[in-house]
Amino acid sequence: MRKKVTLKNIAEVLDVSVMTVSRALNDKSNVDKKTKERIVQKAKSMGYTPNRVAKSLVSRKTQTIGVVIPEITHSFFPEVVRGIEEVTYRLDYQLILTNANEQFEREQHAVNTLRSQQVDGILISSSQTVEDYSFYKEILESDTHLVFFDRCIQGIGASSVHVNDRESSEAITRHLIEQHQYKKIAHLSGPREVTIGRERYIGYQNALEKSNLPQKSEWVIEAGFKEEGGYNAMKKILDLPQSDQPRAIVCVNDPVAFGAMEAIKEAGRSIPDDFAITGFSDEIRAPLVEVPLTTVYQPAYEVGRRSAEKLLKLIDNENEQPEDIEIQAVIKIRQSCGCKADH
């Protein structure tokens, strides 16, 4: 078995001090440029790999970041992670990725495990079952830095990164009203305890209020964030007498919209002739389904990138302040709302 190359081995070969080798490999400025290049090349040729444990003892950092996502099947989150990884890789941080599967107990377990591994910070998108925020307040009072993304818990002093959910939900609902003159509009919502569920519901509500349109309780159904929830919620709409059914459906996200579309198809009804429908997130399937889905494009990569940048600022600068970062989303018009083509 090949013996691990040490700083001392490199120093002996080049006839320099161990301290000089350490400074060169850590890219310190107090080493001559030519000497640094010579040391770096020799370290590579000898197969040297840095000892992260020893390095963390000196820097008091583990160079690791924890990421907790609520579910892995929604294509939004892998794209967020790609944005996070682009930033952390460039700055030599490693990611530990965990999936809470929409369960707060699993989310707590994941966070506690990450803390026990002494990660330098945690990026988290909360699950739909979160009710007690005291858990996160305790984390903020500890030495672990925390940034929420997409599904954020606000008002507890943590940084958050998200799109303009309320404004975008209102805009897509207003498109149904102003461009198509739909007057009976339902909402398949997310849980109100989760920010995106609450903000997107308020956006829908605002659009109706500004147009003096009716808001019926039977037209607002909590569907969660998955296809199954959208399917079941749409079945409840379809069970209403046809004269009481809405003409258009605003869904909290694309998976819910896909589930609703399946229920509409099963019932022998058509989109958009019987029901116009919209989503939110612009999943990879949105333009590919039988009737391409009108939706809101969330720049997931940008959400991930900005989240990672904010967390690393908090880690590196004790004076860095919490911040609420809002990223602009874009409406993607397709045929499911009644438009003829993308525009």
Side-chain angles (χ1 to χ4, degrees), residues 136-189:
Y136 299 107
K137 290 178 183 177
E138 290 173 11
I139 296 171
L140 289 170
E141 290 166 3
S142 73
D143 293 330
T144 307
H145 298 287
L146 183 66
V147 173
F148 288 97
F149 65 90
D150 186 47
R151 304 188 195 174
C152 305
I153 294 176
Q154 296 172 321
I156 62 171
S159 290
S160 56
V161 182
H162 55 90
V163 299
N164 54 333
D165 291 290
R166 185 183 301 193
E167 182 184 326
S168 298
S169 181
E170 180 176 340
I172 203 166
T173 307
R174 287 179 69 84
H175 173 79
L176 296 172
I177 297 167
E178 295 169 2
Q179 298 300 315
H180 300 284
Q181 286 74 53
Y182 300 134
K183 299 185 185 304
K184 299 165 70 174
I185 304 174
H187 181 47
L188 305 190
S189 76

